[in-house]
Amino acid sequence: MSHGNEAEITAARYSQSIHDLRRLLSGEWTWDVLVSLRSGPLQYTGLLAAIRARSLENGWPGRNHAYLQDSTLNRTLRRLEESELVDRSREEVFPYRTWYSLTPPALRLLEAVVPFIEWADGHPELLERVRRRRNGGDARR
């Protein structure tokens, strides 16, 4: 196998993996659920309250956490369970409480994201320019 083919295969794998991850982690509330469960298991109402309480005053256009609907959170949790990133467990004695927690792969994923957070922390000016553009303001300076 020539060096050129190796690079091509590597690029193909790289691209495929990025697309696979995008599909696995798609959904508007996916990251909010993962981050909220990062400190440990939560019951549904606690998870909903944790996400609703989080205020992201970062200037990006889009959703307001305070308005997360039950049905939307339910769909997100089902998708994350199917993706094997969130476990759902129900107590066997009354009252039958349901708990949500991260699976080991989800915990590893959150660890793997740390370099992205560090990258964002190191490029605040770039992020601010993009935020302004997306909000309709000119930030090409």
Side-chain angles (χ1 to χ4, degrees), residues 47-135:
L47 178 57
L48 182 61
I51 294 171
R52 284 182 174 169
R54 189 173 300 119
S55 176
L56 296 179
E57 297 178 21
N58 59 16
W60 288 102
R63 69 186 188 266
N64 182 336
H65 285 75
Y67 300 115
L68 172 60
Q69 300 297 309
D70 283 326
S71 59
T72 304
L73 180 56
N74 271 318
R75 280 192 308 274
T76 302
L77 286 167
R78 297 301 154 257
R79 192 176 60 255
L80 289 171
E81 286 177 65
E82 290 171 2
S83 299
E84 300 180 23
L85 295 175
V86 168
D87 275 332
R88 179 179 177 261
S89 59
R90 184 172 181 221
E91 293 179 358
E92 295 187 20
V93 294
F94 186 80
Y96 304 106
R97 296 184 184 114
T98 301
W99 294 87
Y100 295 91
S101 61
L102 297 177
T103 63
L107 290 167
R108 289 189 61 214
L109 174 67
L110 289 174
E111 290 171 11
V113 171
V114 170
F116 290 98
I117 295 166
E118 292 168 348
W119 181 91
D121 288 346
H123 296 85
E125 300 85 11
L126 177 133
L127 292 172
E128 182 57 31
R129 286 191 304 273
V130 173
R131 280 185 199 117
R132 285 187 196 154
R133 267 186 235 124
R134 299 233 175 126
N135 281 326

Side-chain angles (χ1 to χ4, degrees), residues 5-56:
N5 288 338
E6 256 181 71
E8 193 173 310
I9 291 170
T10 301
R13 276 194 198 134
Y14 190 88
S15 183
Q16 183 62 54
S17 294
I18 293 294
H19 287 286
D20 289 344
L21 283 168
R22 256 185 47 214
R23 287 180 185 95
L24 179 70
L25 300 169
S26 69
E28 187 175 9
W29 297 98
T30 296
W31 286 104
D32 296 283
V33 169
L34 295 176
V35 169
S36 295
L37 292 174
R38 191 173 133 242
S39 351
L42 288 171
Q43 291 180 343
Y44 181 87
T45 54
L47 178 57
L48 182 61
I51 294 171
R52 284 182 174 169
R54 189 173 300 119
S55 176
L56 296 179

